Amino acid sequence: MIIWGSGGKAVDLGQVDERHCEVCEKHRPFKLLLQYRFAHLYYLRWVTEKKYHLACDICHRGWVLSVDDVESKLEKNPIPFMTRFGWTFLLGGVALIVLLANL
């Protein structure tokens, strides 16, 4: 039986700014949020979609940010290693089988 599917997670990356919120009409703290989706085959995962949001801490309204702009400013990628690069183990396993079959 092959176990495959998809999932998603949201990560709160903490408060990054204070600014005027258009909805609350007050000066509020804003948080950086990451939402990502992934597909998987057994425990081997790969990211299929990711979005960064800057959202008001009170009303949770805000806007979507450019992925490239945000990731260039982050110290490390908040998505776990096996979720980002799990597909490489699948590719390596297939390559190993092909290599062993040709011996």
Side-chain angles (χ1 to χ4, degrees):
M1 174 160 61
I2 296 177
I3 300 173
W4 60 276
S6 65
K9 291 197 177 185
V11 180
D12 183 352
L13 300 174
Q15 181 181 338
V16 293
D17 198 6
E18 285 194 19
R19 58 177 67 187
H20 181 77
C21 178
E22 299 291 329
V23 177
C24 297
E25 298 181 350
K26 293 185 179 183
H27 200 69
R28 301 281 192 197
F30 277 73
K31 285 188 173 182
L32 182 61
L33 306 169
L34 166 64
Q35 290 181 315
Y36 65 93
R37 301 218 27 94
F38 58 86
H40 67 86
L41 179 64
Y42 293 101
Y43 294 104
L44 306 175
R45 296 178 177 181
W46 57 94
V47 176
T48 58
E49 178 185 9
K50 59 184 166 181
K51 294 180 187 176
Y52 288 93
H53 300 270
L54 189 62
C56 174
D57 200 20
I58 308 301
C59 68
H60 306 290
R61 305 290 175 143
W63 49 91
V64 177
L65 303 173
S66 167
V67 172
D68 294 331
D69 291 342
V70 174
E71 287 184 346
S72 67
K73 296 175 186 173
L74 292 176
E75 293 178 14
K76 67 176 201 164
N77 197 321
I79 302 173
F81 176 80
M82 283 303 290
T83 302
R84 285 181 287 143
F85 297 112
W87 62 271
T88 58
F89 291 94
L90 177 63
L91 185 63
V94 170
L96 184 62
I97 291 171
V98 169
L99 182 67
L100 292 175
N102 289 330
L103 289 178

